[in-house]
Amino acid sequence: MLRDDKLSKWMLGLVFLMFIGGLLVLNTGAPTREFSESENRMLEQLPSFSLEKGMNGTFTAHFEKYLSDQFVFRDFWIGVKSEADRLMGKKESNGVYVGKDGFLIQKFGKPEDGDLEEKAEAINGFAKSLPGLHTYMMLVPTAASVLEEKLPAHVTGDEERTYMEKVKEALSKDIAFVDVYPALRSKKEEYLYYKTDHHWTTRGAYYAYQELGKQMGFTPRMQADFRIERATDDFYGSLFSKSGFRHVLPDSIDLYLPKDDEAYSVEYASEKRSTYSLYERENLKKKDKYTVFLNGNHPLIKITTGSGDGKKLVVVKDSYANCFLPFLTAHFEEIYVVDLRYYEDRLDELIQENHITDVLLLYNVNTFLEDPSIKELASQR
């Protein structure tokens, strides 16, 4: 009997080792994926190595995320975990809370010690290296902070707000911090954030645009100046995909279209493609309908308008900026949109060569604290 027990344990151990070994073999031979349909996001690609990236830690951070994102059968394992969490009655799955009134809300992720300070130092140094440039920072709170009442009973948005304040304090006084939390909080009863997605809605972005106008000195358009078009009412976003929670209603996406005709061109530099629209309406037929705004994320986009009295803007951003950017076309002659996660050229050269007058860093607080590419600003000066 004892011998049978030992044999059973030995066989179980062998099966487990074969299973792990099989996963390693499959993971090594599996092709690199660019997009996760399940999580509705771009996946980390194998980062290029340089001595500088190795020394400042950005290569290691990117590589760890690459291994996690490219793990074989990743979508299947996420689905198994989400379904198990749901059956157990949990209010959280895969970093997503099930909130009140059908809201799925992204969990706040606390950064590693010193990470926030490194990013602030990189931003401060970059701004200092370009004297005469007007630099603004808009750190957007997520639904976890603005819609705190929607969170499960044991959760608050205090920690997110605390880290936002730390970022504000760490930035140089020469960088104008655009605090949009009070404006968004005052409108919390309105449709500011999607229920199934981590982004703010176009209405939320509109209220932040008004706050930016106060800081930059331009007069923002009123809501009455826009024709608000319902693009879709069948949007299931990233949190729906990521969490595995399925018993929620879809979101709607609205486009704020100026009533006065505007002429502008949009150049997607890496794709060598141009268009005359800020919206990719064909994407409304796809799963990731949020990419109706500027066709999603790209390394560099150039928007040329007939406005702005010669003012030129660079927006360094995450995807929260995608629905925000259309509001800016009335105020700048040229807008260069840079996503540091994919942009490989020197940002300071882009600014100097194109005689940029203003720079806006626009991130939601979660992405800002998670994204290691922001530190690369330290090497671009």
Side-chain angles (χ1 to χ4, degrees), residues 151-379:
L151 289 167
H154 64 287
V155 184
T156 73
D158 291 346
E159 195 167 32
E160 178 177 293
R161 290 191 293 273
T162 297
Y163 275 93
M164 289 182 64
E165 191 62 31
K166 287 183 179 180
V167 174
K168 180 179 179 180
E169 292 174 355
L171 292 176
S172 165
K173 301 304 180 185
D174 295 328
I175 298 174
F177 188 87
V178 186
D179 187 0
V180 299
Y181 174 79
L184 294 174
R185 180 66 178 171
S186 70
K187 304 287 187 179
K188 65 179 181 178
E189 301 302 327
E190 299 185 27
Y191 190 41
L192 304 182
Y193 293 88
Y194 298 113
K195 291 186 174 184
T196 69
D197 192 73
H198 69 286
H199 293 101
W200 55 2
T201 65
T202 321
R203 177 173 290 194
Y206 170 76
Y207 290 131
Y209 154 70
Q210 289 186 311
E211 296 302 308
L212 182 65
K214 296 175 185 177
Q215 290 273 8
M216 284 190 164
F218 63 74
T219 302
R221 288 171 164 171
M222 305 299 291
Q223 284 205 62
D225 297 325
F226 295 94
R227 176 173 57 86
I228 301 176
E229 175 187 319
R230 177 63 48 87
T232 181
D233 56 7
D234 189 31
F235 173 43
Y236 286 99
S238 60
L239 301 182
F240 176 86
S241 301
K242 183 179 181 182
S243 69
F245 295 120
R246 294 292 177 260
H247 304 288
V248 292
L249 296 174
D251 282 296
S252 59
I253 296 178
D254 290 336
L255 310 182
Y256 277 49
L257 306 174
K259 291 180 179 178
D260 296 333
D261 290 336
E262 287 185 349
Y264 43 73
S265 64
V266 182
E267 300 175 43
Y268 295 91
S270 59
E271 295 91 340
K272 295 181 172 59
R273 181 174 71 90
S274 298
T275 182
Y276 296 101
S277 176
L278 296 165
Y279 305 101
E280 195 72 25
R281 293 176 182 270
E282 282 296 308
N283 289 352
L284 293 170
K285 301 175 184 177
K286 299 179 180 179
K287 182 175 182 179
D288 189 6
K289 292 176 172 56
Y290 185 76
T291 58
V292 66
F293 300 105
L294 286 168
N295 198 29
N297 298 315
H298 301 267
L300 175 64
I301 300 173
K302 178 184 177 182
I303 303 170
T304 304
T305 78
S307 309
D309 299 325
K311 295 181 69 177
K312 298 182 179 182
L313 173 70
V314 164
V315 180
V316 181
K317 62 88 181 184
D318 66 8
S319 57
Y320 260 54
N322 295 357
C323 70
F324 183 90
L325 286 160
F327 294 116
L328 301 179
T329 56
H331 310 290
F332 294 92
E333 180 179 299
E334 293 177 357
I335 303 172
Y336 296 80
V337 185
V338 175
D339 194 321
L340 292 175
R341 293 170 294 186
Y342 316 112
Y343 188 69
E344 296 182 351
D345 295 325
R346 292 190 62 89
L347 185 58
D348 57 348
E349 292 179 0
L350 176 73
I351 290 171
Q352 292 167 343
E353 290 172 2
N354 293 284
H355 308 290
I356 302 300
T357 57
D358 301 88
V359 170
L360 169 66
L361 293 97
L362 195 164
Y363 287 85
N364 79 77
V365 62
N366 274 332
T367 302
F368 180 82
L369 296 176
E370 293 172 358
D371 182 11
S373 66
I374 298 168
K375 297 178 186 177
E376 294 176 12
L377 286 173
S379 63

Side-chain angles (χ1 to χ4, degrees), residues 27-40:
N27 206 56
T28 302
T32 298
R33 297 188 304 152
E34 293 186 358
F35 185 77
S36 169
E37 285 289 339
S38 176
E39 296 176 78
N40 210 16

